[in-house]
Amino acid sequence: MRRYEIPRVAFINKLDRMGADPWKVLNQARSKLRHHNAAVQVPIGLEEEFEGLVDLVEMKAYKFEGSSGQNVTASDVPLNMEDLVTEKRRELIEVVSEVDDQLAEAFLNDEPITANQLKAAIRRATVARKFIPVYMGSAFKNKGVQPLLDGVLDYLPCPLEVYNYALDQNKSEEKVLLAGTPAEPLVALAFKLEEGRFGQLTYLRIYDGVIRKGDFIYNVNTGKKIKVPRLVRMHSNEMEDIQEAYAGQIVAVFGVDCASGDTFTDGTVKYTMTSMNVPEPVMSLAVSPISKDSGGQFSKALNRFQKEDPTFRVGLDAESGQTIISGMGELHLDIYVERIKREYKVDAKVGKPRVNFRETITQRAEFDYLHKKQSGGQGQYGRVCGYIEPLPSGSDGKFEFDNMIIGQAIPSNFIPAIEKGFKEACNSGSLIGHPVENLRIVLTDGASHQVDSSELAFKLAAIYAFRQCYTSAKPVILEPVMKVELKFPTEFQGTVTGDMNKRKGIIVGNEQEGDDTIVVCHVPLNNMFGYATAIRSATQGKGEFTMEYLEHNVVSQDVQMQLVTSYQAAKGTE
């Protein structure tokens, strides 16, 4: 809300529960969330004695009767509460006076403050984002809901009081202030998608202009022209067909193929609404359908979720062939896996994604291999000699092949087959079966046979030669290291940095931003699984982190032993 500069009202819920204490919550919002707030209501009774509320602006008591609190009865303030109500009203006036000059003047001159004066001051301060009025109640019992809705009308801005900016795509995303009137060209944002009975239902917020049933509208993000087949006003789960809607309204349309966050115009302007700040996904899971028959439904579900939610990504791991889903945390992904099951009736298997390790060599090793096979008819014959060595640090490529043979020991038409053989052998190292990188292969000698030599013979000779000398080149495993940026309240610094050290993280930067600490560190990806939950637990849910790939680095000897052992054990079971 701070990032998008949104005026707000707060509601303290569950006053009928055991241990309910709205004043404690109010103080926590001040200290922890730095809210400049005050209560505009006082509860009549708490916990099981919670009956209603006293409105501090109007100085009236409200009770909610009927099976679902629909009958609101107003009365005077109960006598036993007059002192508390007077004190809390004075506190409300004081807090609003701090940020509203007109009210401050009346307050300092000790003038009596009317309900209308107070209401106008609260509205000015709320719209200016300097104050947050606090409402109370029990939503489950529908107590306090009607006054809250009145508060939304009384204190939150109408569309004309808010500055909305669009980005002009013709002028390299220059900011344009929208007037918010029906006279301007149409600008509408698709902010939510829903799979309805009649296909995709798209919710639009109209910022400028008018939208009518049967109009042609343009999707600025895709460049497609679409006709509006049906326009509806939503009320909970009921729909009301309408012919047109104006700036400031929220409507829904059927049969429009688009993604969440797309902007629609009437074609005269090429504006997009500020694209929502979409953070990079931090958590990935490998998913696959349990039964082979449900693949179609499975991919349909993933496609729909990607459209609905810009923070949800789907990709295919080229190495392991797994479908990888990425999102903002473990809970985020768990919900999508659950939705695949519930909405598409597809049971999905979830696994920890395979970390993309690499292997490399640390010293030069010679090879001399003869591949010879005779089994009636044309045989196979090919001999390759040479050496492999690590590439110098800072090299551009990850694989080099040099032919240093002088003369015609191996006919030149077989050289590409040898290179292909070595490349193929590098796809899977013998330590843990991951690709081998940063090595140079030099061919110095060889031998061929006039009849039995073939491309296949030399390709196989190269593959076996590589396997033969690989272990003597002292291979090591490289693991992906991530650059992780953590942001959390300073009070949790010890716990968070201690946990990072446990995960073998190297802290490279540390700075303060207000009450928050920002730490930058380099951590192996393999140690980051489950971190979303760990940082939440360590910081009472206030910490957040972003993670991006930095480089591949050599793993320590003990980790290498562990990886090799588990790889061989897995290979043995296969």
Side-chain angles (χ1 to χ4, degrees), residues 267-518:
T268 55
V269 288
K270 199 173 180 191
Y271 293 165
T272 58
M273 295 313 296
T274 350
S275 57
M276 274 179 73
N277 179 321
V278 179
E280 282 306 301
V282 292
M283 182 76 213
S284 302
L285 283 178
V287 287
S288 58
I290 289 175
S291 78
K292 292 281 181 282
D293 317 337
S294 45
Q297 284 291 86
F298 179 70
S299 52
K300 194 173 159 189
L302 294 181
N303 283 338
R304 182 186 142 205
F305 296 154
Q306 260 181 301
K307 268 189 177 178
E308 267 181 32
D309 180 356
T311 61
F312 177 74
R313 316 270 171 89
V314 179
L316 190 72
D317 185 337
E319 288 174 24
S320 62
Q322 291 173 309
T323 300
I324 304 288
I325 57 171
S326 312
M328 301 320 299
E330 284 157 292
L331 180 65
H332 185 201
L333 297 177
D334 286 347
I335 288 169
Y336 278 118
V337 172
E338 183 55 40
R339 281 185 66 188
I340 293 173
K341 194 172 174 178
R342 199 177 59 236
E343 294 173 28
Y344 289 87
K345 310 283 183 285
V346 175
D347 276 325
K349 192 165 63 200
V350 180
K352 180 176 161 181
R354 175 170 136 159
V355 173
N356 296 328
F357 290 106
R358 295 282 182 269
E359 297 183 25
T360 191
I361 55 170
T362 53
Q363 65 178 37
R364 177 173 158 158
E366 310 279 336
F367 61 82
D368 179 349
Y369 188 83
L370 169 65
H371 176 66
K372 192 175 174 186
K373 200 172 178 190
Q374 198 72 45
S375 57
Q378 188 185 348
Q380 291 179 10
Y381 185 95
R383 182 179 175 205
V384 287
C385 310
Y387 59 89
I388 61 173
E389 62 181 5
L391 278 172
S393 59
S395 304
D396 290 342
K398 295 184 175 178
F399 173 89
E400 275 181 24
F401 177 79
D402 289 338
N403 176 15
M404 300 245 179
I405 295 178
I406 297 160
Q408 283 288 314
I410 299 175
S412 51
N413 58 322
F414 292 139
I415 301 297
I418 296 172
E419 185 177 349
K420 197 176 170 190
F422 278 118
K423 262 192 182 154
E424 216 168 277
C426 287
N427 281 339
S428 165
S430 60
L431 288 180
I432 54 167
H434 281 255
V436 184
E437 282 185 352
N438 300 335
L439 84 162
R440 178 169 175 249
I441 295 174
V442 180
L443 196 60
T444 54
D445 198 4
S448 64
H449 188 278
Q450 275 181 330
V451 179
D452 288 350
S453 284
S454 64
E455 285 191 359
L456 176 68
F458 276 108
K459 184 180 159 184
L460 291 170
I463 291 172
Y464 293 129
F466 179 80
R467 287 182 189 165
Q468 180 194 43
C469 68
Y470 184 61
T471 42
S472 47
K474 295 237 170 109
V476 290
I477 297 169
L478 304 174
E479 66 181 343
V481 173
M482 311 303 277
K483 178 186 176 191
V484 178
E485 190 176 287
L486 308 158
K487 186 178 181 184
F488 50 88
T490 306
E491 61 198 275
F492 302 110
Q493 192 163 359
T495 324
V496 175
T497 47
D499 183 48
M500 262 301 135
N501 292 333
K502 261 193 225 158
R503 293 171 189 270
K504 299 186 179 157
I506 299 163
I507 293 170
V508 293
N510 189 336
E511 59 182 78
Q512 289 293 117
E513 188 183 275
D515 297 347
D516 290 336
T517 298
I518 294 171

Side-chain angles (χ1 to χ4, degrees), residues 101-319:
D101 297 340
Q102 288 180 42
L103 191 71
E105 208 173 302
F107 177 62
L108 293 170
N109 295 338
D110 262 344
E111 293 171 15
I113 288 161
T114 66
N116 287 344
Q117 275 177 296
L118 183 52
K119 212 177 235 184
I122 293 175
R123 181 179 176 81
R124 285 193 298 272
T126 307
V127 171
R129 301 190 314 282
K130 291 177 180 171
F131 174 72
I132 299 169
V134 178
Y135 284 82
M136 306 177 180
S138 162
F140 180 63
K141 302 264 172 64
N142 273 326
K143 290 183 178 178
V145 174
Q146 296 92 331
L148 172 67
L149 293 175
D150 291 339
V152 169
L153 286 176
D154 291 340
Y155 303 134
L156 292 181
C158 85
L160 292 172
E161 289 175 289
V162 181
Y163 294 120
N164 289 311
Y165 291 95
L167 302 177
D168 192 341
Q169 297 303 319
N170 293 332
K171 294 183 181 169
S172 63
E173 299 219 333
E174 190 182 293
K175 269 190 167 186
V176 184
L177 178 62
L178 297 176
T181 64
E184 299 293 313
L186 172 73
V187 178
L189 174 75
F191 66 90
K192 173 182 161 76
L193 308 180
E194 200 177 85
E195 198 70 32
R197 292 192 303 272
F198 313 106
Q200 182 178 299
L201 185 64
T202 307
Y203 286 81
L204 293 179
R205 156 77 152 91
I206 306 166
Y207 285 93
D208 253 355
V210 184
I211 188 168
R212 291 183 181 85
K213 185 179 171 180
D215 274 2
F216 282 100
I217 56 174
Y218 290 82
N219 184 333
V220 181
N221 300 55
T222 62
K224 284 182 184 167
K225 179 180 174 182
I226 307 154
K227 188 176 182 179
V228 180
R230 189 177 166 201
L231 200 59
V232 291
R233 183 183 291 127
M234 301 298 292
H235 181 80
S236 177
N237 57 355
E238 293 168 17
M239 296 174 200
E240 177 196 337
D241 275 285
I242 54 174
Q243 295 304 309
E244 56 186 15
Y246 300 94
Q249 291 186 324
I250 289 174
V251 292
V253 291
F254 275 106
V256 172
D257 184 34
C258 66
S260 198
D262 284 358
T263 305
F264 291 95
T265 68
D266 58 3
T268 55
V269 288
K270 199 173 180 191
Y271 293 165
T272 58
M273 295 313 296
T274 350
S275 57
M276 274 179 73
N277 179 321
V278 179
E280 282 306 301
V282 292
M283 182 76 213
S284 302
L285 283 178
V287 287
S288 58
I290 289 175
S291 78
K292 292 281 181 282
D293 317 337
S294 45
Q297 284 291 86
F298 179 70
S299 52
K300 194 173 159 189
L302 294 181
N303 283 338
R304 182 186 142 205
F305 296 154
Q306 260 181 301
K307 268 189 177 178
E308 267 181 32
D309 180 356
T311 61
F312 177 74
R313 316 270 171 89
V314 179
L316 190 72
D317 185 337
E319 288 174 24

Side-chain angles (χ1 to χ4, degrees), residues 58-101:
E58 304 278 359
M59 292 299 277
K60 283 253 172 67
Y62 291 105
K63 292 194 178 173
F64 306 88
E65 288 152 5
S67 56
S68 53
Q70 70 273 40
N71 304 327
V72 184
T73 55
S75 58
D76 292 332
V77 178
L79 292 173
N80 62 343
M81 289 185 69
E82 277 182 348
D83 292 348
L84 174 69
V85 168
T86 312
E87 180 204 326
K88 290 295 177 189
R89 188 173 201 260
R90 186 178 173 79
E91 186 189 317
L92 170 66
I93 293 167
E94 266 179 46
V95 173
V96 179
S97 300
E98 286 173 29
V99 290
D100 186 81
D101 297 340

